[in-house]
Amino acid sequence: MKKVLILQNQGKIYGGVWQVNKLVGEGLIEKGYNVHIVSIRDSKMNIVLEHHNDLVVKTINEVDDWETYHLVDLIDEFKKFHLFKVIGILFSKIKYNVSLRNDIKKLHKYIYEYDPDYIVTSHYQLIDMVPKEYLDRTIHEQHSSLNDAINHRATKESFDKYKDKIKFLWLTKKTMDNAICMGYKNSLYIYNAVRFKSDIRSNVVNNKKLVAIARLSKDKSIDKMIEIVMDIFKDNKYKDWSLELYGSGECENALRDMIGDNKQIKLMGVTNNPKEVLLTSSISLNTSKYEGFSLSVLEANECGVPTVAFDFGESTQELIIDGKTGIIAKDK
């Protein structure tokens, strides 16, 4: 039995990375593979994620948070002469790095004991955590666009470092072609799968409901979505319309404060039944800064719900037929 290890930064978080990894893992199990999904750390969302009984889901460190320390933040505080904050950031980073090194040792032990035939990394940081002798069986799946990856210095440096040692899996053909032109020769592509099939189409004319199913994080720009919708709802002819937001994330409390007592906009929490939600909706909204191959757009399309979205990268044109299955809007 072939063994597949799928690595991700965070567990217990209901987002696109988990959904894709779960779909792939369960699909491989149906084909006779043994699959483990291992997270370095857990989110603090306390979410119970449903999955196939034979899919092994583990976390290396269930206590500490996954953090990202940016040099620009340190420089910014230094310029403001916030020396105590600078010292605090430096101390936190040193403490974090020591803890992460211990987690990497535990991950290495896990890998050596499991001895997978294939390793799939979901975030660029994880490539560095793979033991050297396993790099030739490692596939990095990039869940966001190529442009987003190469415009992020640390991601590009990682890709360049390992471009002749691992394989890259992209989510659109155009992305793969662009990656090959940039020197990432070991590239393949595969579209994300839809989690369900629907023979029913939403009654989009009469439902009068906008919907967004997304992680409530900064890169999804949900705050901008709410601002736009609030402005639209000022027109009395939309008094019977609503916006329902499904998901969780670090911006949830800020978005709740932003919505305030607006009765037309609601935070609904996480849904395990996007099909049911979409079949009662009129329009799906997507204000992401970048996407790899959006599950929410795929699922809306399956239910006959058009998506209004910003141009979120190479996959936009392959996901949305502008003016037919949705509208690609300019992000001002």
Side-chain angles (χ1 to χ4, degrees):
M1 181 183 292
K2 294 286 187 179
K3 293 182 286 187
V4 179
L5 175 62
I6 301 175
L7 298 178
Q8 54 186 34
N9 284 352
Q10 285 184 293
K12 294 184 180 178
I13 186 168
Y14 195 88
V17 172
W18 160 255
Q19 291 301 328
V20 171
N21 288 342
K22 173 179 175 291
L23 279 172
V24 170
E26 291 177 342
L28 289 172
I29 285 171
E30 294 299 324
K31 291 183 179 295
Y33 288 77
N34 179 277
V35 184
H36 289 202
I37 296 180
V38 173
S39 305
I40 305 304
R41 301 191 172 177
D42 280 338
S43 75
K44 300 304 178 184
M45 303 298 175
N46 295 318
I47 296 172
V48 177
L49 299 171
E50 298 177 358
H51 55 81
H52 194 289
N53 289 336
D54 292 335
L55 182 63
V56 177
V57 179
K58 297 282 188 181
T59 299
I60 297 297
N61 180 343
E62 297 179 344
V63 177
D64 295 321
D65 292 329
W66 178 272
E67 301 282 355
T68 303
Y69 292 91
H70 300 288
L71 180 61
V72 66
D73 296 327
L74 190 67
I75 293 172
D76 186 52
E77 295 297 341
F78 186 79
K79 287 180 177 178
K80 294 176 182 176
F81 298 101
H82 294 166
L83 296 182
F84 286 110
K85 284 189 177 180
V86 171
I87 293 170
I89 292 172
L90 286 171
F91 179 77
S92 297
K93 181 172 175 55
I94 292 169
K95 182 180 177 183
Y96 179 82
N97 287 343
V98 171
S99 175
L100 187 61
R101 280 196 291 271
N102 289 331
D103 293 342
I104 294 171
K105 289 179 182 178
K106 292 177 184 177
L107 175 63
H108 281 194
K109 184 174 184 292
Y110 192 101
I111 292 172
Y112 289 132
E113 290 178 353
Y114 182 48
D115 192 26
D117 296 282
Y118 305 98
I119 296 176
V120 180
T121 55
S122 305
H123 303 87
Y124 77 92
Q125 299 99 325
L126 300 171
I127 307 174
D128 259 334
M129 299 184 191
V130 175
K132 291 180 180 179
E133 56 266 46
Y134 284 86
L135 287 173
D136 61 352
R137 38 180 126 166
T138 296
I139 302 165
H140 176 72
E141 181 172 10
Q142 181 62 24
H143 289 266
S144 66
S145 69
L146 174 64
N147 284 338
D148 172 64
I150 63 175
N151 287 328
H152 185 260
R153 188 178 66 180
T155 306
K156 187 175 187 305
E157 286 177 352
S158 178
F159 286 5
D160 289 343
K161 179 180 177 181
Y162 293 103
K163 67 180 180 181
D164 297 321
K165 298 180 177 67
I166 67 172
K167 290 182 173 62
F168 293 90
L169 183 62
W170 310 95
L171 299 179
T172 78
K173 184 178 185 302
K174 181 179 179 181
T175 308
M176 180 194 72
D177 291 340
N178 290 344
I180 291 172
C181 288
M182 293 187 63
Y184 306 114
K185 303 297 184 183
N186 297 326
S187 288
L188 302 167
Y189 83 97
I190 184 172
Y191 289 133
N192 281 338
V194 183
R195 285 178 284 180
F196 58 81
K197 294 290 184 182
S198 179
D199 296 325
I200 305 170
R201 292 294 177 264
S202 174
N203 187 347
V204 296
V205 174
N206 295 320
N207 284 336
K208 295 184 177 180
K209 185 172 77 178
L210 307 174
V211 66
I213 303 176
R215 191 174 69 256
L216 304 182
S217 58
K218 290 182 180 179
D219 57 290
K220 300 298 182 182
S221 302
I222 305 297
D223 55 342
K224 184 172 290 187
M225 180 192 299
I226 292 172
E227 286 179 3
I228 293 169
V229 172
M230 279 182 168
D231 193 47
I232 292 171
F233 283 174
K234 287 178 183 178
D235 191 325
N236 196 50
K237 68 182 179 182
Y238 298 111
K239 64 180 181 180
D240 297 329
W241 282 72
S242 64
L243 166 62
E244 291 183 357
L245 298 161
Y246 290 85
S248 64
E250 69 271 14
C251 295
E252 186 169 347
N253 290 334
L255 295 174
R256 195 180 304 279
D257 291 341
M258 185 179 180
I259 294 167
D261 59 359
N262 191 309
K263 304 300 182 185
Q264 289 179 272
I265 303 176
K266 302 174 184 177
L267 286 175
M268 307 297 291
V270 172
T271 178
N272 289 318
N273 195 342
K275 179 179 177 180
E276 181 180 353
V277 170
L278 288 162
L279 287 175
T280 61
S281 303
S282 298
I283 300 172
S284 169
L285 301 181
N286 188 312
T287 48
S288 292
K289 295 177 181 177
Y290 52 84
E291 294 274 5
F293 205 76
S294 173
L295 291 176
S296 65
V297 177
L298 285 173
E299 291 168 352
N301 187 61
E302 181 68 21
C303 294
V305 176
T307 296
V308 177
F310 292 150
D311 189 339
F312 45 68
E314 303 97 10
S315 66
T316 313
Q317 303 293 334
E318 293 181 53
L319 277 163
I320 300 172
I321 303 173
D322 196 17
K324 291 186 178 181
T325 65
I327 296 173
I328 303 171
K330 291 184 178 180
D331 180 4
K332 296 181 179 180

